[in-house]
Amino acid sequence: MSLREDNEDVRRILSSGLNVNTGFVVEHDGKVLYGSHAFHYLTTLAEPRNFLSRMLFLIGEHPQAARLLYPVMVFGRYLVLIAQGGTLIEYERQPWQESTQEGLGPRLVRMSALLLTVLGLTRLGVFGSYPMKALQLLPVLLLTVTAVAAWTRFFYKAAYARQIYNRIRQADWSIVIAYVAILLLIVNTLDIVLFRRLAAFITILPLLAVAVDLYRKYGADPQIGKIPAIVPFAILVFAFFPGLYMAPFYGGIFGWTAHVDRSRPIVVSGYKLVNQDGDEIWYNHAFFQPVTMNGRFRRAFSDAIPETEKFVQFMFDNYKRIYPMLETGRMPHEWALGRFAYPSHNLSDNNSLDYVGKFEPSKIIGMETVVETYNFDGTFLEAKKGVLIPVNGN
């Protein structure tokens, strides 16, 4: 019988005052036994039929061995509870005063606190090759201590995890703001990109339970149906693996590193717009956002249409198309959120106003390829220019 259920027998056993978290109870033939005594008594009644039951019988048939090894079994049960996101039984509380049923939501709340504890301890103790400064150490230490305290509270008092999940499930505006703020705080506390992504994944675990609840509630509703009800799952598929395979990347793509030789010059290449006065300006790759990354769009175009002149005309036609947006001070990827928009993939300059007036499409006579070389300190060394390719500005 599970002592997490709510019936008269459970109420009677819990009200007896026995600590059911450190031992189970056996009632048989008018006897009430507890803990190792109950374990020993059961072995006198059971007949071993397999390897496990034989092992338990050998341990339990001797009262002294049962007393010595039973605490180990209790500890193993604690580990299973922790791994399942479970909690201790509040045997001192009358179960009929509050529901003891545990759903997925409270379990995931507890798992979030536990996994954040593990993540924080791992960052503090394992990654010696990534040393932390004092200003980095203190926030991670504070996050770890807070996660330990939260998980301990949730493990000993199941009602707290239920209350927190119910607040998340209600999702009023104050809870949403608080949840997002906590998520961003936790993510930005850690300094390693992989740890940031894992922290975000852990923090949104309770939302999986919300998605399950919504699907169960609305999936069978003929006015809503299964497709809209599964939308939360679709969102979580995108967000549950943050930065591991999909956006958002939370500060970079883990595993990408750059080894820079400061003694070698830096080479910058691309296309420049040339106006009728001979002035030049780089053709910003952000004009094609969000689809381009450095050099890839040019190679894709060349595979289909090898003539360079047609590619240059195509880029210029695109420039004419987005020029009215440049006049407003925005790049194409900033069309909705302006300066708050997610930056372009290659972190280009948002210098839209540099093109206005002097480089309006009607004043552009052509485009040319340019390769510029600089020292590592930014000193200009040389520029190599290709042939000026005229464009049709009409």
Side-chain angles (χ1 to χ4, degrees), residues 96-332:
W96 54 88
Q97 295 177 356
E98 183 179 354
S99 173
T100 59
Q101 295 299 316
E102 280 290 305
L104 179 63
R107 287 180 179 272
L108 290 182
V109 169
R110 284 190 289 271
M111 288 298 295
S112 293
L114 176 62
L115 293 176
L116 285 174
T117 299
V118 173
L119 191 67
L121 291 174
T122 302
R123 179 63 188 100
L124 291 170
V126 174
F127 283 76
S129 59
Y130 294 91
M132 289 188 291
K133 300 178 181 178
L135 291 177
Q136 294 174 324
L137 175 64
L138 186 59
V140 177
L141 184 61
L142 181 60
L143 171 64
T144 306
V145 172
T146 303
V148 170
W151 176 80
T152 303
R153 192 66 169 168
F154 298 156
F155 185 69
Y156 281 94
K157 293 288 184 181
Y160 288 108
R162 287 197 293 270
Q163 291 170 5
I164 288 178
Y165 176 70
N166 289 336
R167 296 289 299 275
I168 295 173
R169 177 71 175 80
Q170 293 168 6
D172 60 66
W173 66 269
S174 59
I175 298 301
V176 172
I177 292 175
Y179 194 95
V180 172
I182 292 172
L183 170 66
L184 294 176
L185 183 64
I186 291 174
V187 166
N188 290 283
T189 295
L190 296 156
D191 56 325
I192 298 178
V193 172
L194 175 63
F195 278 50
R196 288 183 175 186
R197 297 179 198 149
L198 292 175
F201 166 74
I202 292 168
T203 307
I204 64 174
L205 273 176
L207 297 185
L208 175 61
V210 174
V212 172
D213 288 346
L214 292 176
Y215 182 77
R216 288 174 176 172
K217 183 175 181 179
Y218 298 111
D221 190 331
Q223 295 183 345
I224 296 178
K226 294 185 180 297
I227 299 301
I230 209 170
V231 166
F233 287 103
I235 296 173
L236 287 172
V237 166
F238 183 79
F240 235 54
F241 304 95
L244 297 179
Y245 303 105
M246 296 182 291
F249 295 110
Y250 295 113
I253 300 178
F254 181 72
W256 286 16
T257 57
H259 300 283
V260 179
D261 183 356
R262 293 173 178 262
S263 64
R264 300 181 61 183
I266 297 173
V267 178
V268 181
S269 62
Y271 290 88
K272 282 191 174 183
L273 295 163
V274 181
N275 68 10
Q276 56 197 12
D277 297 324
D279 298 318
E280 303 173 345
I281 190 170
W282 287 107
Y283 187 97
N284 197 319
H285 66 266
F287 292 163
F288 286 109
Q289 286 296 326
V291 297
T292 62
M293 286 175 281
N294 195 19
R296 296 185 184 181
F297 199 83
R298 174 70 179 93
R299 289 195 296 272
F301 192 98
S302 297
D303 289 341
I305 306 175
E307 294 89 348
T308 300
E309 293 78 7
K310 291 186 177 180
F311 179 67
V312 168
Q313 184 63 47
F314 167 73
M315 288 200 298
F316 179 71
D317 291 341
N318 180 69
Y319 178 71
K320 288 196 299 182
R321 179 183 64 84
I322 59 101
Y323 185 79
M325 185 178 297
L326 301 181
E327 291 181 306
T328 67
R330 296 189 176 194
M331 286 290 189

Side-chain angles (χ1 to χ4, degrees), residues 363-384:
K363 296 180 180 180
I364 302 299
I365 60 172
M367 296 177 63
E368 61 185 359
T369 58
V370 180
V371 179
E372 295 182 350
T373 308
Y374 296 84
N375 276 334
F376 198 83
D377 61 3
T379 304
F380 175 76
L381 297 178
E382 63 174 343
K384 296 180 180 179

